[in-house]
Amino acid sequence: MWRILFKSLPLLVAVILCETYSLNPDPGPWVQPTNGEPWPLPNLRRLNNAFYFLRASTFQFNVVGETCDIVVDAIERYKAIILTEARIARMFSQGQARSSAMRDNSTVKGTLTALNIHLGEPCEEGGNHWPYLEMKESYTLSVNETSTVANLVAESVWGILRGLETFSQLLSPSGDGSNLKIRCQTIVDRPKLPHRGLLLDTSRHYLPISDILLTLDAMSYNKMNVLHWHIVDDNSFPYQSSVFPELSAKGAYHPSMIYTLNDIQKIVDYARLRGIRVMPEFDTPGHTRSWGLAYPDLLTTCYDSSGKANGKLGPMNPTNPNLYDFLRFLLFEIVQVFPDQYVHLGGDEVPFDCWKSNPQINQYMSSHNMSNNFALLEGEYIAELLRITNSLNANTIVWQEVFDNGVTMPNTTVVHVWTGLWSKELENATKAGHPVLLSACWYLDHIAGGGDWKKFYKCDPLSFNGAANVTHLMLGGEACMWGEFVDRHNVHPRIWPRASAAAERLWSNAKQDENKAAQRLEEHACRMNRRGIPAQPPNGPGFCLT
């Protein structure tokens, strides 16, 4: 009987598959995308039923008043984006009927000829105007039915960048094969929170410079403004230090997988033109195994239960008198290379077992009245590190364990919450007077299958006790793309459009119904595809015209 069953198995499978398909030919509902709807959602928007045509080949960007290289570069980028949108609209318009809005000539006000850009403040001279925390990103964008010229007004160049991005997202195909269209409206917009970041891990897998630049493009399309560059870790040390070149020479995966100082300069310059800060993280005293390939004396020698060295190295050795001079020289270089005013010092997941096994460290702790409280040793290390960064006029961020372990820190030290009951962590840190960042609910390496963006969209960074009284301490948050299982081949679809959900929660005060948000995200994912970002489908079955 079994032989007969196995011989018949291919036929049975075919019948079952055919029956399944015929009974349920649609594996899921198609989310109808919007047309000309922005992401993230603007904070104040007044819509009109009238439309303008826009001819990409003749449309003009006019700078009224102040300008600088950031504005000039942005105009060229958005000209290219609009031309691409028009080309794709023409390509796929054949055989399509004009939309109902375009058939109703009473709603068409004519052709929009230009966008006037009004910048209130001059950019600093010499191209040294770097983005910074609390930079002004507000803007007003008006497409008035009484004028064929739209207006973008912002106090700072950063607001101009955000407004240009919104303007580009309001465009959609007109349906006649030669034009784009834009709806008459007024948008008054500003971010809810000043720090809207994405963590990118280049230690677990090296990411080529071109992929980092593409990530910066995608961040600008989502109004994210901080690239948190987790550049080194246990696995590799791809940062090429001019002071300690052996760190990358021995700690990188391969000589071709190193970021030179020129590479970093290219990345931070590219980010600046998009209003994005590049904040480095050099995580210590844990996550430092790759440091020990060049400088093993910096790390702690681990011992087995019989008191013999077991050949393993643990976290940095805080009792090594040469350690802090080494870190002082390295951090001095880092704050020169990265123009951002913040540096992330890490401090997470410090394993105490190796410290506990080391006789020299135990002797040090005994002589300093630390008993067996290794959190005190960690605290001593972090305190010295903070003294170094303070002497370099650098602001600092640490992972939440540093705060949880009771380390004494200046109130200016930012606590970055990534695990546990995050609402309670935010409450405790802000009660202690520390600024905070949230990442706990935006870990992009935690995959729930398919379009799991909604779980990120549900997270409100201001939903903790006392938030209303400490809005000045809630700086924002970051979506985190840890690199254990991503490299250049899958990093972009893993991030986008899932990180877009976090971007909207950090920018927009209004929280839209998930079904409506899904329609906008469907359009936005296709929009990113057209701009060269391989964002994955957010909602299931559907299609993009690219």
Side-chain angles (χ1 to χ4, degrees):
M1 187 180 80
W2 288 110
R3 285 195 298 270
I4 295 172
L5 178 60
F6 278 108
K7 285 182 179 179
S8 305
L9 189 59
L11 177 61
L12 288 172
V13 171
V15 170
I16 291 170
L17 288 175
C18 288
E19 286 298 315
T20 302
Y21 183 78
S22 64
L23 290 172
N24 185 21
D26 185 358
W30 175 42
V31 174
Q32 176 72 45
T34 53
N35 285 302
E37 288 296 306
W39 191 285
L41 194 69
N43 282 297
L44 179 62
R45 188 183 186 199
R46 187 172 65 251
L47 290 166
N48 191 298
N49 287 327
F51 289 84
Y52 280 101
F53 286 128
L54 186 149
R55 297 186 182 278
S57 59
T58 59
F59 185 78
Q60 297 293 315
F61 290 90
N62 300 324
V63 178
V64 180
E66 301 290 345
T67 190
C68 64
D69 63 326
I70 298 174
V71 175
V72 172
D73 185 82
I75 287 173
E76 292 305 309
R77 290 201 312 275
Y78 284 102
K79 279 182 179 178
I81 284 172
I82 291 174
L83 286 169
T84 298
E85 292 287 346
R87 177 182 58 80
I88 293 171
R90 287 194 301 271
M91 188 184 305
F92 292 102
S93 65
Q94 295 179 0
Q96 292 183 352
R98 293 174 60 142
S99 68
S100 59
M102 294 301 99
R103 287 198 301 267
D104 183 359
N105 291 329
S106 65
T107 65
V108 179
K109 306 304 294 185
T111 299
L112 194 70
T113 60
L115 175 67
N116 283 349
I117 299 171
H118 306 262
L119 173 58
E121 294 179 348
C123 298
E124 293 180 4
E125 296 180 0
N128 294 320
H129 196 174
W130 295 98
Y132 56 94
L133 183 70
E134 304 288 0
M135 58 186 170
K136 301 169 187 174
E137 296 175 278
S138 59
Y139 66 91
T140 299
L141 177 63
S142 57
V143 183
N144 196 313
E145 61 180 315
T146 62
S147 173
T148 59
V149 176
N151 286 280
L152 171 60
V153 180
E155 189 174 348
S156 81
V157 67
W158 317 117
I160 295 295
L161 291 177
R162 307 307 173 225
L164 284 170
E165 178 57 37
T166 298
F167 179 79
S168 73
Q169 295 184 8
L170 301 180
L171 302 174
S172 63
S174 65
D176 72 343
S178 62
N179 298 299
L180 298 169
K181 67 177 181 180
I182 186 169
R183 192 170 175 180
C184 294
Q185 58 194 286
T186 298
I187 292 175
V188 181
D189 203 9
R190 60 181 300 174
K192 176 165 70 174
L193 294 167
H195 185 122
R196 306 179 306 283
L198 173 68
L199 180 148
L200 205 58
D201 172 10
T202 59
S203 174
R204 273 71 179 221
H205 284 95
Y206 172 84
L207 291 176
I209 296 171
S210 59
D211 289 285
I212 297 176
L213 300 183
L214 189 63
T215 300
L216 290 167
D217 284 333
M219 289 175 66
S220 72
Y221 303 151
N222 289 272
K223 296 187 173 71
M224 300 180 94
N225 65 357
V226 182
L227 176 66
H228 175 173
W229 193 352
H230 189 88
I231 192 168
V232 302
D233 207 291
D234 280 328
N235 312 88
S236 71
F237 198 105
Y239 170 80
Q240 188 178 70
S241 168
S242 60
V243 181
F244 301 111
E246 289 295 295
L247 282 168
S248 59
K250 294 183 177 179
Y253 282 133
H254 187 270
S256 67
M257 297 179 179
I258 288 173
Y259 303 106
T260 68
L261 298 187
N262 285 336
D263 294 335
I264 293 171
Q265 186 66 51
K266 179 178 181 179
I267 289 166
V268 298
D269 286 343
Y270 195 89
R272 168 184 170 269
L273 293 172
R274 287 150 184 79
I276 298 173
R277 300 161 47 200
V278 180
M279 179 184 73
E281 180 185 355
F282 286 78
D283 194 0
T284 65
H287 291 280
T288 50
R289 191 169 65 241
S290 65
W291 303 52
L293 296 174
Y295 298 95
D297 291 345
L298 297 179
L299 305 188
T300 303
T301 300
C302 306
Y303 289 76
D304 61 24
S305 58
S306 65
K308 296 181 180 179
N310 62 13
K312 297 181 181 179
L313 295 175
M316 286 186 166
N317 184 352
T319 68
N320 181 346
N322 299 320
L323 173 63
Y324 297 108
D325 283 337
F326 181 95
L327 291 172
R328 186 176 292 106
F329 283 116
L330 181 62
L331 286 167
F332 177 79
E333 175 185 290
I334 289 167
V335 299
Q336 303 302 314
V337 171
F338 291 90
D340 195 62
Q341 73 267 46
Y342 280 86
V343 60
H344 203 302
L345 298 177
D348 65 313
E349 299 179 318
V350 181
F352 291 158
D353 289 348
C354 185
W355 282 353
K356 290 178 181 179
S357 75
N358 185 286
Q360 290 82 13
I361 286 182
N362 279 287
Q363 182 180 5
Y364 177 90
M365 293 186 67
S366 178
S367 65
H368 287 76
N369 299 316
M370 292 183 184
S371 185
N372 287 321
N373 189 349
F374 288 88
L376 292 177
L377 183 62
E378 177 195 20
E380 182 178 273
Y381 169 84
I382 293 293
E384 184 60 35
L385 201 59
L386 290 171
R387 278 191 283 272
I388 293 172
T389 53
N390 183 61
S391 71
L392 299 173
N393 296 317
N395 297 314
T396 51
I397 301 174
V398 295
W399 293 111
Q400 71 186 65
E401 288 96 324
V402 176
F403 173 77
D404 291 342
N405 289 341
V407 175
T408 301
M409 302 180 291
N411 278 349
T412 54
T413 305
V414 180
V415 176
H416 195 165
V417 174
W418 71 275
T419 190
L421 185 59
W422 60 263
S423 59
K424 192 64 178 177
E425 291 281 351
L426 293 175
E427 179 185 353
N428 292 340
T430 52
K431 277 184 178 179
H434 288 286
V436 290
L437 292 171
L438 175 64
S439 284
C441 50
W442 294 316
Y443 262 44
L444 302 177
D445 55 319
H446 295 178
I447 300 174
D452 64 346
W453 64 271
K454 289 183 180 179
K455 70 178 182 180
F456 303 126
Y457 196 73
K458 293 178 189 295
C459 179
D460 181 356
L462 293 176
S463 61
F464 63 93
N465 289 336
N469 301 320
V470 292
T471 53
H472 63 293
L473 294 177
M474 168 42 80
L475 302 183
E478 297 177 356
C480 295
M481 188 67 265
W482 295 104
E484 285 87 348
F485 297 99
V486 296
D487 59 13
R488 68 173 304 178
H489 300 290
N490 67 338
V491 66
H492 302 294
R494 188 66 58 86
I495 295 174
W496 310 108
R498 299 164 77 235
S500 301
E504 179 151 300
R505 292 280 56 80
L506 291 164
W507 179 278
S508 303
N509 285 306
K511 189 171 184 180
Q512 196 174 53
D513 171 82
E514 284 183 4
N515 293 327
K516 293 181 179 178
Q519 291 181 284
R520 285 190 300 111
L521 191 58
E522 192 75 15
E523 179 188 8
H524 187 52
C526 288
R527 179 188 295 131
M528 287 193 284
N529 289 168
R530 292 194 297 273
R531 298 182 185 187
I533 309 299
Q536 71 175 19
N539 299 302
F543 65 94
C544 291
L545 300 178
T546 57

